[in-house]
Amino acid sequence: MKTIIGLCSALAFGLTQASQAADLRVYTYDSFVSEWGPGPQLEQAFEAQCGCDLEYVAVEDGVSILNRLRIEGENNKADVILGIDDGLSVDTRATGLIEPHGLSISPLRQELAWQDDSFVPFDFGYFAFIYDSSKISQPVTSLRALIESDASVIYQDPRTSTPGQGLMMWVKAVYGDEAPAAWQQLSRHTVTVTKGWWEAYSLFLAGDADYVLSYNTSPAYHVVAENKTQYRAAPFSEGHVAQIELAAITSTSQNKDLGRDFLQFLVSPQAQAIIPVTNWMLPVIDNVELPPVFGELISPQRIGFSAEEAGASRQQWLREWRSSAAQ
């Protein structure tokens, strides 16, 4: 026990020293900084460019980044937050802890229609339900068909997960005032609702459900990294809700110039070539060379709500989900 306590103390001291030494501290999410995520490669590339020390502080999900920022307030230690999505941008701005970046961002992909002056997109994708085509030969073709089926489903909690929040907006966009009844119907064949994306996807890969909420880009990972082609995204006739992942500078940062350099780096051709094949999302700039499988992904019609609409209605939609999905 003493050995374990001593080791933990040494690690804590080491982490404290590393935190003090870092030139740029970035709040992000767990999978981004994993050994297979984009974090390590981006860190190495940016540090080589800036001659600085970048440190990640990881939490579970984009929602958790916002929650941490709210809890810490002006005592937060972040120079940059990375992993908030467009659906959370209004609530994040409302903390008063984000400031305009002042950058002239090179043209982004037209389908993003991005004009915000505080948040910089670094990747995007569409929420989709993934299935194993070796087990399901005729997948559902709409959100209504999935909800009205008896297929087993795993999705993520919208209170803690951006995909879960995306599904909440998706159900609301398709069902409108009938959303409570849709949640009740879905709950009858939901295996579990997980806190984050990785737990849900792992359970799906273990065979615990027919469908899992993920992204239209998820099949690309299996093809490129595993040479497996059976995992596919089901295209839904109503359209799909998009997720644009964002980075921003905190108003409390002690190194804002370096933070701006990092945001500019995120949309550079070098960074944009790394992100799609490590974070398994789509690049936000054109002319990024990608593995051929990216050309085979579903390209959905985009539906949903503006960031302002999502920010104004999120709490109401969450209450609606909690009261209906639990029945």
Side-chain angles (χ1 to χ4, degrees):
M1 181 63 72
K2 287 183 179 179
T3 302
I4 295 174
I5 292 174
L7 178 59
C8 290
S9 298
L11 286 171
F13 177 77
L15 288 173
T16 299
Q17 294 297 94
S19 296
Q20 292 173 347
D23 298 309
L24 191 74
R25 189 171 294 110
V26 178
Y27 282 11
T28 187
Y29 51 83
D30 286 339
S31 62
F32 193 89
V33 302
S34 67
E35 61 179 345
W36 46 266
Q41 290 188 49
L42 293 174
E43 179 180 7
Q44 183 179 18
F46 183 68
E47 287 180 343
Q49 174 181 303
C50 69
C52 63
D53 178 30
L54 184 153
E55 177 191 11
Y56 296 115
V57 178
V59 292
E60 289 183 327
D61 190 271
V63 176
S64 301
I65 297 171
L66 173 57
N67 290 340
R68 177 165 184 160
L69 205 61
R70 282 171 165 164
I71 291 168
E72 293 180 347
E74 293 189 355
N75 294 319
N76 79 84
K77 304 301 182 184
D79 296 295
V80 169
I81 59 168
L82 184 157
I84 295 290
D85 72 1
D86 54 319
L88 291 172
S89 61
V90 170
D91 285 5
T92 305
R93 199 192 318 272
T95 65
L97 297 170
I98 301 301
E99 67 173 49
H101 49 67
L103 297 172
S104 178
I105 300 300
S106 58
L108 301 173
R109 289 177 65 160
Q110 190 171 6
E111 64 188 287
L112 297 178
W114 194 256
Q115 297 180 343
D116 192 281
D117 64 356
S118 297
F119 296 95
V120 172
F122 62 89
D123 67 23
F124 79 106
Y126 294 89
F127 295 115
F129 280 91
I130 305 300
Y131 68 98
D132 184 340
S133 63
S134 69
K135 298 178 180 179
I136 298 176
S137 59
Q138 294 185 323
V140 292
T141 58
S142 68
L143 183 62
R144 285 185 179 271
L146 177 65
I147 288 176
E148 293 169 7
S149 74
D150 59 1
S152 54
V153 172
I154 296 175
Y155 67 93
Q156 301 82 11
D157 191 326
R159 295 168 297 183
T160 56
S161 166
T162 50
Q165 180 180 254
L167 180 59
M168 184 176 68
M169 291 191 286
W170 205 353
V171 169
K172 196 65 182 178
V174 172
Y175 282 90
D177 293 340
E178 298 175 353
W183 285 121
Q184 290 176 25
Q185 192 166 13
L186 180 60
S187 69
R188 298 186 189 113
H189 52 103
T190 296
V191 175
T192 188
V193 177
T194 64
K195 191 172 182 180
W197 173 85
W198 177 241
E199 182 185 359
Y201 207 77
S202 298
L203 290 171
F204 164 74
L205 292 178
D208 288 359
D210 297 320
Y211 295 89
V212 64
L213 177 64
S214 190
Y215 298 90
N216 70 314
T217 49
S218 295
Y221 164 78
H222 295 287
V223 173
V224 175
E226 301 176 336
N227 198 30
K228 293 180 179 179
T229 60
Q230 71 265 37
Y231 298 108
R232 299 177 185 174
F236 284 179
S237 58
E238 304 102 335
H240 294 237
V241 171
Q243 180 185 48
I244 305 173
E245 292 198 292
L246 312 171
I249 302 168
T250 64
S251 58
T252 52
S253 171
Q254 299 300 306
N255 206 339
K256 295 177 184 178
D257 287 342
L258 191 57
R260 292 185 186 93
D261 289 344
F262 183 64
L263 296 192
Q264 191 77 65
F265 167 73
L266 287 174
V267 294
S268 69
Q270 182 182 13
Q272 287 292 297
I274 292 170
I275 291 172
V277 292
T278 50
N279 215 33
W280 303 103
M281 296 284 274
L282 299 170
V284 297
I285 64 174
D286 291 318
N287 301 318
V288 176
E289 186 174 350
L290 298 171
V293 67
F294 276 83
E296 301 170 9
L297 300 175
I298 65 169
S299 299
Q301 172 192 352
R302 183 176 176 180
I303 62 170
F305 301 91
S306 68
E308 291 72 23
E309 290 170 328
S313 301
R314 178 177 296 101
Q315 294 307 314
Q316 176 190 337
W317 295 344
L318 282 169
R319 288 192 295 270
E320 189 174 81
W321 170 79
R322 289 184 65 183
S323 62
S324 303
Q327 294 183 14

